[in-house]
Amino acid sequence: MSAVSTQNNGQGHAAAGTNGGSQTIKSYAPATGELIGEVPVMSKEQVAQVVSRARKAQRAWAVLPIEERCDRLLRFRDAIVDRAEEIVQLLSKETGKPRHEALIHEVMPIADLLTYYCKNAPRILAPREIELHLFKHRKSYLHYAPRGVIGVISPWNFPFTLPMGDVIAALVTGSAVVVKPSEVTPLIMLKAKEIFDATGLPEDLLGVVTGYGPAGQALIESGIQKLVFTGGVETGRRVAAACGAALIPCVMELGGKAPLIACSDCDLELTAHSIVLGGFANAGQVCVSVERVYAHESVYEPLIRRVKQLVGELKQGDPAKSFVDQGAIIFPKQIEVAEKHIADALGKGAELVCGGKRVAGTGDFFEPTVLANCNHEMTVMKEEIFGPVLGVQKVASDEEAVRLANDSHLGLNAYLFTKDRAKGKRMAEQIEAGSVVVNEVLINHAIAEAPFGGIKQSGFGRIHGEDALREMAETRHVNYDRFAMPGSNPVGYPYTEKSYGLMMKGLRALFSGRGIVQRIGQLF
Ligand code: NAD
């Protein structure tokens, strides 16, 4: 363990401290151990104050025409692009990730999402007429009203792109938003807030509250109208229960255990490169990381050989000093998790292809690790590791690969590689995951138009795309008359024997056999 680790309190590379009597969180750079900032642990009352200020700011924001909201948010995008270098430097320092990844995985998708939503939100959120098949004398439409204040609780692995995606969706729909960033990486969200404020947008519209779990709990209980939570499954259970108690809707973006299926007809070179990038980008600390590979027996050996070669070419080190492929691990506890799964696999007969141990010296680094000859008795194939470790299992058929891919309590992302696109799509539809990507890795979270989220214990609700934007707003229904009606309602009072008989006749005429409703349905 490095000198850095002695400063850690086991809860992350952020350690608790005090400043003038109040509790603080200290943020350390995982690659060097350098102290890079300190933020307050906010009390329940302080969290409530931020939410209350956001609510006041929201009233003026909500009445602006959506086009104006979008125009103003595009200025925020421009400021993010102008200050991208500053954001990248801090992101890389606070998380230990390579600068390329800070830029491509975090800053770029936010610039793109802002562009996509600001361009398309007026259309996506425009009132929508609903076709009525029975009540032809009336009309219905939906409109999308701002909810009020949206809460966002986020993890440490993508501390800019994850909360900011939700921030943008909330603001576009006319809500205010309050973010509780991870206690492990609190500084980057404060940088985002500083940039937001500098663009002239109403300051209180975006609030940031810092602290540990209790600050998140306080946010849920502060009277917000919706929560978007991203984090681990166990925290997610507690958070969903708290949202249930507060009766607020929530989106749960939880853990993953993405499988990658390498079919017998896969492009070996593409598949090997994708396994390495998908498994080791952000040191494997990605909810959609490739964590397990099912390789057809005909490609198993050459694939492992090529993966080993490619992993051997990865450069690891402090991302602030040079351009590296592999940065640091967020904190020592995450290394211990990796070690535990590797020991379990090796004890049950797995082969160590490469890696397997922490790197001596300053900072928290772990070698990218590949394990072959794995099976589902091993935790490496079953539990989320969230580190640079991937297991490879040999399979005899596509059917076996799909069965094993589905043998998981998680269902966030999956990948499969084949040269046969029709087969790829067929197999993709059999895989139990929120998204399945054929012949590529990691890309889908960055597709602004496509919904992202999990099934099974990976969560519920979606972010990105049109439906998620509408969901961020409150869908409200208005029903109105198409033409003037007589004063008395034929199915209203008084309830008489005669009117009952007429209604019974009406029921049969409308619905039995090829009744009127079915025929009307065909006409309209
Ligand atoms: P975590 O669950 O430990 O923490 C997430 C956030 O929840 C933090 O801000 C934390 O302070 C807060 N929190 C903790 N207890 C709380 C409580 N009782 N009430 C309210 N808030 C509380 O997760 P983490 O370790 O920061 O992140 C890693 C996990 O996140 C992994 O499981 C990963 O798969 C998952 N993740 C999922 C996605 C996705 O989109 N599905 C994306 C990134 C990460």
Side-chain angles (χ1 to χ4, degrees):
M1 198 177 296
S2 68
V4 187
S5 314
T6 55
Q7 292 164 335
N8 290 324
N9 62 357
Q11 289 175 309
H13 79 282
T18 53
N19 188 350
S22 46
Q23 247 211 322
T24 58
I25 295 170
K26 288 182 169 153
S27 184
Y28 293 96
T32 59
E34 178 197 348
L35 175 63
I36 50 174
E38 201 168 346
V39 301
V41 174
M42 291 171 76
S43 66
K44 191 170 178 161
E45 291 68 34
Q46 288 172 314
V47 171
Q49 279 162 13
V50 174
V51 173
S52 154
R53 287 202 301 272
R55 191 171 304 291
K56 283 201 194 99
Q58 189 262 340
R59 289 190 193 113
W61 181 246
V63 295
L64 293 178
I66 186 164
E67 290 78 7
E68 186 169 344
R69 290 202 296 263
C70 290
D71 276 353
R72 294 175 73 173
L73 286 168
L74 282 174
R75 274 185 251 154
F76 182 36
R77 178 204 57 187
D78 294 345
I80 289 172
V81 173
D82 283 349
R83 294 175 67 175
E85 189 62 50
E86 203 183 320
I87 302 170
V88 163
Q89 297 288 348
L90 180 60
L91 261 170
S92 176
K93 200 165 217 181
E94 198 174 28
T95 61
K97 69 177 67 186
R99 277 174 278 166
H100 280 76
E101 291 177 2
L103 180 61
I104 302 294
H105 297 169
E106 303 236 39
V107 179
M108 189 97 85
I110 288 306
D112 181 53
L113 194 69
L114 264 163
T115 308
Y116 166 72
Y117 271 158
C118 290
K119 185 171 164 219
N120 292 288
R123 171 185 59 79
I124 297 170
L125 297 174
R128 288 211 293 178
E129 195 175 313
I130 309 177
E131 275 289 324
L132 305 184
H133 74 281
L134 182 58
F135 299 105
K136 289 291 179 190
H137 59 304
R138 302 195 61 83
K139 282 199 154 210
S140 274
Y141 68 92
L142 304 177
H143 70 112
Y144 300 96
R147 283 185 187 265
V149 182
I150 307 294
V152 174
I153 299 180
S154 54
W156 47 260
N157 62 332
F158 289 97
F160 185 74
T161 200
L162 292 177
M164 287 302 292
D166 304 325
V167 163
I168 295 163
L171 295 177
V172 163
T173 60
S175 281
V177 60
V178 176
V179 180
K180 207 296 278 171
S182 168
E183 59 274 30
V184 185
T185 50
L187 301 181
I188 193 68
M189 197 56 220
L190 291 170
K191 172 63 71 184
K193 163 91 180 123
E194 179 198 313
I195 297 172
F196 181 87
D197 293 350
T199 56
L201 280 150
E203 288 191 9
D204 292 335
L205 202 56
L206 167 61
V208 179
V209 295
T210 49
Y212 296 97
Q217 176 81 21
L219 179 59
I220 297 167
E221 292 168 355
S222 67
I224 55 171
Q225 275 62 52
K226 177 169 178 156
L227 180 82
V228 185
F229 173 80
T230 309
V233 173
E234 289 317 313
T235 317
R237 268 185 231 287
R238 289 197 292 280
V239 168
C243 289
L247 277 181
I248 50 168
C250 55
V251 173
M252 288 283 138
E253 294 285 351
L254 309 179
K257 185 77 193 163
L260 181 150
I261 296 176
C263 295
S264 57
D265 65 343
C266 70
D267 176 326
L268 212 64
E269 194 59 13
L270 173 70
T271 311
H273 275 276
S274 303
I275 289 172
V276 175
L277 184 68
F280 302 122
N282 207 29
Q285 303 165 119
V286 187
C287 56
V288 295
S289 279
V290 175
E291 289 219 354
R292 49 195 177 118
V293 174
Y294 302 103
H296 190 270
E297 56 196 11
S298 61
V299 294
Y300 178 81
E301 296 291 346
L303 195 59
I304 288 178
R305 264 200 309 279
R306 186 67 182 125
V307 164
K308 183 179 177 176
Q309 255 173 5
L310 292 171
V311 172
E313 290 166 12
L314 296 177
K315 275 187 291 165
Q316 189 171 42
D318 177 359
K321 286 209 187 113
S322 54
F323 286 105
V324 290
D325 308 308
Q326 287 285 290
I329 299 289
I330 194 76
F331 48 67
K333 211 166 76 179
Q334 213 59 26
I335 290 184
E336 287 159 24
V337 172
E339 286 172 335
K340 190 184 81 178
H341 289 292
I342 293 169
D344 174 84
L346 294 176
K348 290 174 182 164
E351 284 163 29
L352 186 64
V353 176
C354 54
K357 54 184 191 307
R358 60 180 77 198
V359 179
T362 306
D364 293 315
F365 292 90
F366 198 82
E367 294 174 346
T369 301
V370 179
L371 295 157
N373 199 26
C374 292
N375 60 54
H376 275 220
E377 296 301 308
M378 302 169 184
T379 58
V380 77
M381 302 302 276
K382 300 284 285 181
E383 291 173 24
E384 185 184 43
I385 300 175
F386 220 56
V389 180
L390 68 87
V392 188
Q393 178 164 356
K394 190 192 286 183
V395 293
S397 65
D398 293 343
E399 290 70 30
E400 186 186 5
V402 170
R403 182 178 58 74
L404 288 167
N406 289 341
D407 178 24
S408 174
H409 64 292
L410 299 170
L412 188 59
N413 247 50
Y415 308 101
L416 72 92
F417 285 75
T418 167
K419 285 185 195 146
D420 178 346
R421 283 199 198 95
K423 178 176 96 172
K425 288 197 275 182
R426 233 177 14 250
M427 285 175 71
E429 288 177 28
Q430 293 164 11
I431 294 175
E432 295 162 1
S435 300
V436 183
V437 181
V438 182
N439 294 333
E440 178 57 290
V441 283
L442 308 179
I443 190 170
N444 57 304
H445 191 275
I447 301 175
E449 295 89 342
F452 179 85
I455 60 171
K456 299 181 174 175
Q457 290 183 26
S458 289
F460 47 81
R462 293 292 181 266
I463 57 168
H464 300 171
E466 300 199 355
D467 290 345
L469 192 68
R470 291 191 194 104
E471 269 295 300
M472 189 57 98
E474 225 164 47
T475 306
R476 297 188 190 166
H477 171 210
V478 174
N479 176 265
Y480 65 98
D481 52 340
R482 286 176 77 181
F483 33 75
M485 294 291 288
S488 69
N489 183 337
V491 293
Y493 298 137
Y495 294 155
T496 62
E497 194 177 341
K498 186 175 169 202
S499 66
Y500 181 79
L502 280 173
M503 283 183 227
M504 186 59 82
K505 276 193 190 142
L507 171 86
R508 290 185 178 130
L510 288 169
F511 300 109
S512 56
R514 285 187 37 77
I516 293 172
V517 167
Q518 193 171 335
R519 275 177 273 149
I520 287 179
Q522 284 163 358
L523 287 177
F524 292 93

